């Protein structure tokens, strides 16, 4: 099989040499529509102050949204955070990467996907000529915005609760509305839960195109997991190539 230049770059970025991927056929991929308006499984059914605030959040622009997140005390995670982790990237980026919750380094630096997992993600993105930087003159098609499902770090990196995810969800929803991405890459279990309302394992959801509010969405493994599970790197590479094909296809007239 002949590797394309992009495929070789991605393999190099992920430390792979001999893996031969299956031929991707985006046109034949199943397209699933997620019931994004459905509440998270155990979200409170009553109208809480936080739920009422969703309408206010939905009207915020980027600066106001960042300010609202920075001052948010809607769930208990506000008590243990060092700072909120809003997101990073150009506000006109066509790619959106959604992660899970901030870890210790994200909490300390105030930016998602830093440390070893962030470096792996950056190498993967760079192999596709994509950047999280908001500087420079890269076109929107080469820019990536990165946001987490939760904006505050759970203590000791525990899993976020359903209630915490529900409280924080309006911020991510508004980020997506403002960004209007061409492609969403959901990395990890909690990003998938928030965006697709699915508890299915990543392995069952990856490899096909889902949709969030009409936006194509590809599921893949979280970089932190890839650092522990080297055999899954090839699948993550395949997922990124699928996302790139979908993003490029969105530029072509149908
Ligand atoms: S995790 Fe989200 S909802 Fe909870 S305090 Fe932080 S910003 Fe607010």
């Amino acid at each position: 099989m002949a590797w394309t230049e992009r495929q070789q770059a991605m393999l190099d970025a992920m430390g792979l040499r001999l893996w031969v991927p299956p031929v991707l056929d985006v046109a034949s991929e199943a397209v699933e529509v997620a019931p994004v308006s459905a509440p998270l499984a155990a979200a409170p059914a009553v109208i809480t102050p936080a739920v009422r605030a969703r309408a206010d959040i939905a009207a915020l622009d980027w600066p106001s949204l960042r300010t609202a997140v920075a001052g948010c005390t809607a769930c208990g995670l506000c008590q243990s955070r060092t700072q909120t982790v809003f997101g990073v990237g150009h506000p006109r980026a066509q790619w959106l990467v959604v992660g899970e919750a901030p870890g210790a380094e994200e909490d300390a630096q105030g930016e998602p996907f830093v440390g070893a997992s962030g470096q792996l993600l950056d190498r993967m993105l760079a192999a596709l000529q994509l950047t999280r930087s908001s500087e420079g003159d890269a076109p929107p098609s080469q820019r990536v915005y990165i946001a987490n499902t939760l904006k505050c770090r759970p203590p000791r990196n525990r899993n976020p609760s359903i209630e915490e995810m529900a409280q924080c969800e309006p911020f991510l929803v508004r980020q997506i509305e403002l960004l209007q991405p061409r492609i969403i890459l959901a990395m990890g279990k909690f990003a998938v839960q928030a965006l697709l309302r699915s508890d299915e394992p990543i392995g069952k959801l990856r490899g096909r195109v889902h949709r969030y509010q009409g936006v194509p969405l590809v599921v893949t493994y979280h970089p932190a997991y890839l650092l522990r599970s080297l055999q899954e790197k090839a699948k993550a590479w395949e997922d990124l190539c699928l996302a790139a094909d979908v993003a490029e296809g969105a530029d072509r007239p149908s």
Side-chain angles (χ1 to χ4, degrees), residues 123-134:
R123 289 198 301 275
M124 293 162 67
L125 296 175
L128 291 170
Q129 287 81 51
L130 298 170
T131 178
R132 71 164 80 189
S133 173
S134 58

Side-chain angles (χ1 to χ4, degrees), residues 116-147:
S117 62
Q119 290 167 12
L120 175 58
L121 175 62
D122 285 344
R123 289 198 301 275
M124 293 162 67
L125 296 175
L128 291 170
Q129 287 81 51
L130 298 170
T131 178
R132 71 164 80 189
S133 173
S134 58
E135 307 294 326
D137 57 1
S141 61
Q142 292 178 1
R143 294 192 185 274
V144 180
Y145 194 91
I146 303 176

Side-chain angles (χ1 to χ4, degrees), residues 68-69 72-78 81 84 149-153 164 167-169 171:
V69 169
C72 180
T73 57
C75 81
L77 297 183
C78 68
R81 73 189 179 208
T84 55
T149 306
L150 261 80
K151 311 307 183 193
C152 301
R153 180 194 179 202
E164 289 161 352
Q167 296 283 18
C168 210
E169 183 180 45
F171 295 128

